[in-house]
Amino acid sequence: MENGYSRFADALPGLVWTALPDGHVDFLNQRWHAYTGQRHDVALGHDWTASVHPDDLAEWMQRWSAMLAGKPCEMDVRLRRHDGVFRWFQFRAAAWRDAGGAIVKWCGVLTDIDHAKRAEEALGKLRSELAQVARVTSLGALTASIAHEVNQPLSGIITNASTCLRMLGTDPPNIDGARETARRTIRDGHRASDVITRLRALFGRHSPPAEWVDLNEATREVMALSSSELHRERVIPSSELADDLPSVSGDRAQLQQVILYLLLNALEAMRTVVDRPRQLMVKTNRDEGDCVRLTVKDAGIGIDPQNMERLFDAFYTTKSGGMGIGLSVSRSIIESHHGRLWAAANDGPGVSFAFSIPTHPESTARFHGSGAIHTDMAMEAPRRRAGASR
């Protein structure tokens, strides 16, 4: 029986092991020994942990202890091959119980997932690079707005500095007037600095760690940066920002990038509209499942139903000068915040783009796991499967 079990375990496509109820490993299949190079008498007990990557060992032992306490155990871990190369494996374990429910043994398998893990890492790097391209593209679209935003305080600085010199040059010098113009100079200097700071945060290559973000404040900053561009395109912006909106945990720069792109996307959709006001509405409100929602509603040309199925596909665009990555990257950012991004046709002209993200990341699993779904999201499901660069 024992030999039959060993032959069966050796034939399985994975590193198979069993352990006694106290965690003492009493069996490792031949694939384990062939991969790690450990001898049978050396690996049994607890010495098999010598093959675990040092950076993964602490978490591995925590999960192992939790398993012995009766909790489910599953994690990705790196194991050293006999030639010193580390590869990624998925570790899974389960209890073998007797008729009375007592644990007789622990059984588990480690499956090689190195190729999938490397592909996932490469995809993450590609997404990061695409996000940077999207930021640079958005920066180009905002060049005129940036020039206007910076030029105003710089002009004020020059004017106030000239006025200050003139007041100091009078006989007697106008000290009070000079002091006031100096204060204005400092104020305008701070205004120019704030513009540059916001731009560096928005388009910087290195994203800051997660922080608590006031979505209303983040939205106001993006709208302020975009104000000149919106004005030049004769867009009439308005906002309805909920007073009781809770903060969200996330990357402020990335969330602002999404808001910025949705604004520019709405502007682009209304660029050819001449028979009605080019109205743009930005709205925030509480959403179901401890989430907050931001909606950008335009009065543009809308989306051709034939294009809806490709709405968020990467490198797909209906714009003559578009790259087709803006909405794809935006969706990736929102999903990395455990949220959703979707589009829906308005009752009147135009389209609304909206995203919903949880106030606490752990609330996402609870919300989605419950099977609940927004009513309007359910109605918009065919549209959401799409993707978009309009």
Side-chain angles (χ1 to χ4, degrees):
M1 182 67 178
E2 188 68 26
N3 290 336
Y5 171 78
S6 298
R7 288 196 298 271
F8 174 74
D10 289 340
L12 292 175
L15 312 185
V16 180
W17 58 270
T18 63
L20 300 177
D22 63 357
H24 182 95
V25 174
D26 63 349
F27 173 79
L28 291 161
N29 72 343
Q30 187 58 39
R31 289 182 185 272
W32 169 278
H33 298 299
Y35 177 82
T36 64
Q38 288 183 322
R39 297 197 320 270
H40 180 76
D41 58 333
V42 173
L44 295 182
H46 298 285
D47 291 339
W48 54 269
T49 56
S51 295
V52 179
H53 194 288
D55 293 345
D56 300 339
L57 185 59
E59 182 181 359
W60 171 279
M61 296 310 298
Q62 288 178 359
R63 299 289 184 94
W64 185 266
S65 298
M67 178 195 73
L68 297 180
K71 296 182 180 179
C73 188
E74 180 177 330
M75 71 171 288
D76 295 343
V77 63
R78 286 166 289 184
L79 294 181
R80 186 178 63 243
R81 201 166 58 189
H82 57 81
D83 58 0
V85 174
F86 283 93
R87 292 181 64 84
W88 282 101
F89 284 78
Q90 183 182 60
F91 171 81
R92 290 183 176 181
W96 179 4
R97 302 177 185 270
D98 61 18
I103 296 176
V104 177
K105 275 192 177 184
W106 293 101
C107 306
V109 62
L110 292 109
T111 306
D112 192 321
I113 58 169
D114 194 75
H115 290 304
K117 199 76 173 179
R118 303 297 180 189
E120 181 182 338
E121 293 174 355
L123 180 60
K125 182 179 180 181
L126 177 60
R127 284 177 175 172
S128 178
E129 292 174 351
L130 287 177
Q132 178 63 17
V133 172
R135 292 179 187 180
V136 173
T137 303
S138 299
L139 180 59
L142 280 176
T143 299
S145 179
I146 295 167
H148 178 78
E149 291 289 336
V150 176
N151 187 59
Q152 280 189 327
L154 289 180
S155 298
I157 290 172
I158 295 172
T159 300
N160 288 324
S162 299
T163 302
C164 184
L165 287 175
R166 188 168 61 253
M167 289 181 173
L168 291 175
T170 60
D171 189 16
N174 185 348
I175 301 300
D176 290 338
R179 185 180 292 112
E180 178 59 28
T181 55
R183 291 194 187 99
R184 293 176 181 174
T185 301
I186 294 173
R187 178 201 63 193
D188 290 336
H190 286 314
R191 285 178 57 197
S193 177
D194 288 343
V195 172
I196 300 301
T197 299
R198 291 199 301 266
L199 291 170
R200 290 183 63 183
L202 189 57
F203 296 103
R205 177 175 291 274
H206 300 291
S207 298
E211 58 180 316
W212 288 108
V213 181
D214 182 335
L215 204 58
N216 286 343
E217 180 185 353
T219 300
R220 292 188 188 99
E221 290 182 357
V222 173
M223 293 186 71
L225 282 175
S226 310
S227 59
S228 296
E229 181 76 5
L230 296 173
H231 178 74
R232 182 166 57 253
E233 296 293 334
R234 302 189 305 281
V235 173
I236 306 171
S238 60
S239 61
E240 294 181 5
L241 307 181
D243 294 332
D244 61 344
L245 199 70
S247 297
V248 296
S249 177
D251 186 321
R252 183 186 185 90
Q254 287 189 352
L255 291 175
Q256 286 188 310
Q257 178 189 344
V258 174
I259 299 170
L260 171 63
Y261 186 81
L262 294 183
L263 290 179
L264 295 178
N265 196 55
L267 182 152
E268 182 72 22
M270 295 188 287
R271 184 158 280 157
T272 59
V273 172
V274 295
D275 59 342
R276 58 181 177 272
R278 300 179 182 179
Q279 296 178 330
L280 183 148
M281 165 65 73
V282 181
K283 180 180 180 180
T284 60
N285 59 278
R286 287 177 177 267
D287 210 353
E288 298 177 16
D290 294 328
C291 294
V292 296
R293 179 188 294 200
L294 182 140
T295 305
V296 177
K297 179 181 179 181
D298 64 56
I301 58 176
I303 300 176
D304 189 330
Q306 295 180 352
N307 296 328
M308 291 297 290
E309 289 303 319
R310 305 182 64 185
L311 196 55
F312 289 91
D313 289 348
F315 304 110
Y316 173 77
T317 181
T318 58
K319 301 175 183 178
S320 58
M323 296 181 63
I325 62 173
L327 286 171
S328 177
V329 169
S330 295
R331 183 180 62 175
S332 296
I333 290 174
I334 295 302
E335 289 180 348
S336 73
H337 285 76
H338 310 284
R340 291 187 176 192
L341 171 65
W342 70 94
N346 298 332
D347 291 337
V351 174
S352 292
F353 282 88
F355 65 78
S356 179
I357 54 178
T359 55
H360 296 86
E362 61 270 19
S363 66
T364 306
R366 182 171 66 253
F367 175 60
H368 292 303
S370 65
I373 188 168
H374 300 294
T375 301
D376 51 352
M377 280 186 177
M379 296 175 63
E380 295 156 11
R383 299 186 183 97
R384 276 200 322 276
R385 286 195 296 268
S389 287
R390 289 190 290 173

